[in-house]
């Protein structure tokens, strides 16, 4: 899947998320990149910013936090478009949860890791 089609798939999956999950996002942008520089390119997503629970350190004029979805890792992990959509959905929920201050251990307990 080329970059444009994958980006559209990510947009579609963002649109499918519940409003109460995305309405609280403040100063966050979503970015699609081909691959991560970390973890041998196997990282599916990354939250780069200050969690809502840490925003007391957050200043005026801060650059937006970023939720990054890595295209090549998703394509390598999925055999078809249905599984790709499921994995992108899970990645988006996982990274948005980090914005709200939910750590990987809790996400694992909830089945989102």
């Amino acid at each position: 899947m080329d970059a444009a089609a994958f980006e559209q798939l990510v947009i579609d999956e963002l649109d499918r998320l519940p409003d109460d999950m995305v309405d609280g996002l403040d100063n966050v942008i979503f970015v699609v990149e081909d691959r991560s520089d970390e973890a041998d390119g196997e990282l599916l997503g990354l939250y780069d910013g200050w969690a809502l629970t840490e925003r007391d350190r957050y200043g005026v004029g801060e650059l937006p936090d970023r939720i990054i979805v890595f295209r090549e890792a998703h394509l390598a992990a999925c055999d078809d478009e249905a599984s790709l959509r499921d994995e992108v959905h899970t990645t988006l929920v996982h990274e948005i949860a980090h914005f709200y201050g939910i750590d990987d251990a809790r996400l694992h307990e909830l089945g989102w890791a």
Side-chain angles (χ1 to χ4, degrees), residues 1-107:
M1 178 177 289
D2 68 20
F6 184 80
E7 188 169 325
Q8 186 58 56
L9 185 144
V10 171
I11 291 167
D12 293 345
E13 289 307 310
L14 271 170
D15 288 343
R16 291 184 57 229
L17 294 174
D19 289 341
D20 58 348
M21 180 183 292
V22 295
D23 285 348
L25 296 175
D26 180 40
N27 203 30
V28 177
I29 61 171
F30 291 83
V31 178
V32 173
E33 293 183 2
D34 280 338
R35 73 189 68 75
S36 166
D37 294 334
E38 302 174 21
D40 300 325
E42 295 178 7
L43 194 62
L44 296 173
L46 178 69
Y47 175 71
D48 178 27
W50 293 98
L52 192 59
T53 55
E54 299 174 344
R55 292 274 171 118
D56 60 326
R57 298 180 239 160
Y58 203 69
V60 175
E62 293 282 339
L63 291 175
D65 293 358
R66 299 182 314 148
I67 292 177
I68 307 166
V69 179
F70 298 108
R71 181 176 71 92
E72 290 179 3
H74 277 88
L75 295 177
C78 301
D79 295 329
D80 57 34
E81 188 171 328
S83 63
L84 180 60
R85 286 186 177 279
D86 288 344
E87 194 62 54
V88 167
H89 184 89
T90 299
T91 299
L92 290 170
V93 170
H94 182 105
E95 302 309 331
I96 289 170
H98 287 319
F99 167 82
Y100 289 111
I102 301 171
D103 65 15
D104 282 332
R106 182 66 179 137
L107 284 167

